[in-house]
Amino acid sequence: MKLQEMGHRAKEAAYQLQKLSTSDKNEALINAARALINDCAGILKANAKDITAAEAAGMHPGLVDRLRLDEARVKSMADGLKEIAALSDPVGEELESFIRPNGLNIKKVRVPMGVIGIIYESRPNVTADAFGLCFKAGNAVILKGGRDAINSNKAIANSLREALADCINNPNALQLIESTEREVTNEFMKLNRFVDVLIPRGGAGLIKAVVENSTIPVIETGTGNCHIYVDESADLSKAVPIIVNAKTQRIGVCNSCESLVVHKNILNALMMELIPALAPFNVELRGDEACMNTLAALAVDAFKDAGDNMKKMLTDVVRATEDDYAEEFLDYIMSVKTVSNINKAISHINLYNTKHSDAIIAEDKAVIECFKNEVDAACVYINTSTRFTDGFEFGFGAEIGISTQKLHARGPMGLKELTSYKYTIESDYLCRP
């Protein structure tokens, strides 16, 4: 199907969706969730083709994990649609109202955006999540997944479209661009006649390409060079589990910790506890001079009788470069920067972060307030793992992505972030004098 035709069909579907009641939308979402479960075997069969191709191409294990589906993940997609159905419908919400002295009764009302385009990489669960959120918010959606997950995306989209055909008699509320050619992606980015907003989900290269080439308004969902700053006032027994969780629980996600910033006064004490905790995961550290000197001293002193994993961590530490401090590794790699005070920590973070999620571990209230107010990120955490930057964790249901920009939406993008608003103006036959 040509993109222009897809655009026409999406516009028609969007106007139909605006007429649906909340119960109509919820019923369709429940039916779509049921369809995913019923079609699970076919979805997994399609996903297996993608996994085989990815492994044959030498894809990094962290990225393969993002691509992989199993029964539990398919069920999670279905549960996500049910959770979206249970959320309050934002469409029609009255945001504010006021009466002017001349008699104008003005109301600001939340409305669907219309047609949303999403370009994304690897994660096939995005197909279901994006559909569910856009649909509940009254929007039609055109999806453009990556080559790596094309078979999975087709199977999921077909299942959802059949469910829509049964419920609202219009499967075009969801359309998937099945071509994986770059020229088609470029053409999609020029479809501003039909698409109201374009959302890229993926790596820095994809996001940069969309921002630079799209004629459609773009909401950036950013890469995640997330930082944890450990202040000299931190309780290290509580700091270490947070760092280990943020770095190792799931490496291929945008809210994992990529950069550790440490106050110089507790560098040695922190490394004494952190190295044994990270060693089972074979985490590679890329540190500054202070970090390297500290680890070298520990290798010949406190950890001289350490096991192989710890010895490897201590001897394989790499001197960090400027690129390392700016990198989203998506791997068992973490940069380390030593600082002398909170202001140096904030300056380093604001220079290298991607405005996604940054955390401080500290007990000093003044230091915490400084960090909270001055770090430029969508989500700022205090004594909490960055892994909580997530639509479900925030109570929004599934998310479209984590917006790292400042216009329209910032942070986890749930239902409300997929709407716009309009004004309705009423009077007693008032004419302008």
Side-chain angles (χ1 to χ4, degrees):
M1 185 188 301
K2 293 183 178 180
L3 287 182
Q4 295 287 327
E5 184 179 349
M6 292 183 75
H8 274 293
R9 292 185 177 186
K11 274 293 185 188
E12 291 175 356
Y15 291 132
Q16 179 184 344
L17 292 180
Q18 292 178 16
K19 302 174 184 179
L20 296 181
S21 67
T22 299
S23 60
D24 289 335
K25 290 188 286 187
N26 290 344
E27 181 182 350
L29 287 168
I30 297 299
N31 196 50
R34 189 180 303 116
L36 289 178
I37 298 298
N38 292 340
D39 296 337
C40 181
I43 292 170
L44 295 184
K45 184 177 180 180
N47 180 248
K49 295 179 182 179
D50 293 330
I51 296 296
T52 298
E55 291 176 339
M59 180 183 286
H60 188 279
L63 297 180
V64 173
D65 177 61
R66 297 171 79 162
L67 176 61
R68 190 183 306 277
L69 294 176
D70 53 27
E71 288 187 7
R73 289 187 178 181
V74 173
K75 183 178 183 300
S76 180
M77 285 192 291
D79 289 343
L81 294 179
K82 294 176 184 177
E83 290 187 21
I84 293 171
L87 294 173
S88 297
D89 190 344
V91 177
E93 176 187 355
E94 186 177 301
L95 300 174
E96 60 179 301
S97 64
F98 50 95
I99 299 176
R100 299 287 297 141
N102 60 5
L104 291 179
N105 185 351
I106 301 174
K107 294 181 180 180
K108 185 179 181 181
V109 182
R110 196 180 296 279
V111 297
M113 285 186 168
V115 177
I116 295 177
I118 302 176
I119 301 176
Y120 57 107
E121 297 173 332
S122 291
R123 297 185 187 179
N125 64 290
V126 173
T127 305
D129 292 347
F131 154 71
L133 282 166
C134 291
F135 184 81
K136 181 66 180 269
N139 303 295
V141 63
I142 300 176
L143 302 176
K144 174 68 175 68
R147 184 188 306 272
D148 297 333
I150 186 60
N151 294 296
S152 307
N153 291 337
K154 285 180 181 179
I156 294 168
N158 287 339
S159 179
L160 297 172
R161 281 173 56 83
E162 288 178 8
L164 287 173
D166 290 341
C167 282
I168 64 169
N169 199 32
N170 191 343
N172 294 321
L174 163 64
Q175 295 180 88
L176 176 73
I177 299 173
E178 297 188 358
S179 171
T180 59
E181 299 302 319
R182 180 171 296 180
E183 293 76 13
V184 176
T185 304
N186 291 335
E187 183 184 351
F188 183 35
M189 289 189 280
K190 310 296 184 186
L191 214 63
N192 54 294
R193 178 183 171 190
F194 303 105
V195 180
D196 295 287
V197 65
L198 188 60
I199 304 173
R201 284 193 60 169
L206 168 66
I207 294 168
K208 183 174 184 289
V210 173
V211 170
E212 292 180 351
N213 294 291
S214 176
T215 61
I216 305 168
V218 175
I219 298 177
E220 294 184 52
T221 60
T223 52
N225 182 16
C226 302
H227 294 71
I228 292 180
Y229 167 58
V230 185
D231 185 60
E232 63 178 330
S233 68
D235 182 335
L236 298 187
S237 66
K238 297 176 181 177
V240 169
I242 289 175
I243 298 168
V244 173
N245 172 264
K247 177 68 259 181
T248 69
Q249 187 194 48
R250 195 174 178 192
I251 59 170
V253 291
C254 61
N255 59 16
S256 64
C257 175
E258 305 286 25
S259 301
L260 182 64
V261 183
V262 187
H263 195 288
K264 65 178 184 178
N265 291 349
I266 52 91
L267 177 62
N268 187 80
L270 176 63
M271 290 302 166
M272 282 283 291
E273 297 189 34
L274 184 60
I275 294 298
L278 289 177
F281 301 95
N282 296 314
V283 175
E284 175 188 310
L285 298 181
R286 298 186 181 180
D288 57 11
E289 183 176 1
C291 174
M292 295 189 72
N293 290 340
T294 295
L295 295 181
L298 290 175
V300 298
D301 185 13
F303 295 143
K304 63 181 179 179
D305 298 321
D308 291 342
N309 281 6
M310 285 179 59
K311 285 182 180 178
K312 188 174 188 299
M313 277 196 69
L314 294 165
T315 57
D316 289 359
V317 62
V318 176
R319 181 64 181 266
T321 66
E322 295 295 306
D323 288 342
D324 288 326
Y325 287 128
E327 182 72 16
E328 182 188 30
F329 296 112
L330 300 175
D331 200 348
Y332 289 104
I333 302 172
M334 183 165 60
S335 69
V336 182
K337 174 68 175 179
T338 309
V339 296
S340 57
N341 56 55
I342 180 62
N343 293 323
K344 296 287 187 182
I346 292 170
S347 294
H348 177 82
I349 292 170
N350 284 343
L351 177 62
Y352 292 106
N353 74 351
T354 51
K355 317 305 179 188
H356 192 294
S357 302
D358 297 303
I360 182 173
I361 305 175
E363 296 294 323
D364 187 318
K365 301 300 183 185
V367 168
I368 290 172
E369 282 301 306
C370 185
F371 188 92
K372 185 167 61 175
N373 293 332
E374 297 180 26
V375 166
D376 185 10
C379 300
V380 178
Y381 289 92
I382 297 90
N383 296 326
T384 308
S385 171
T386 57
R387 288 284 287 116
F388 284 99
T389 302
D390 177 82
F392 283 113
E393 297 292 348
F394 280 31
F396 300 161
E399 75 200 18
I400 287 294
I402 310 298
S403 172
T404 55
Q405 64 182 41
K406 298 180 181 179
L407 290 178
H408 175 68
R410 201 176 195 198
M413 292 182 59
L415 287 174
K416 291 184 178 180
E417 286 71 31
L418 296 178
T419 62
S420 183
Y421 58 82
K422 67 181 178 184
Y423 290 95
T424 64
I425 303 94
E426 188 175 353
S427 75
D428 187 17
Y429 300 98
L430 190 64
C431 296
R432 186 169 183 177

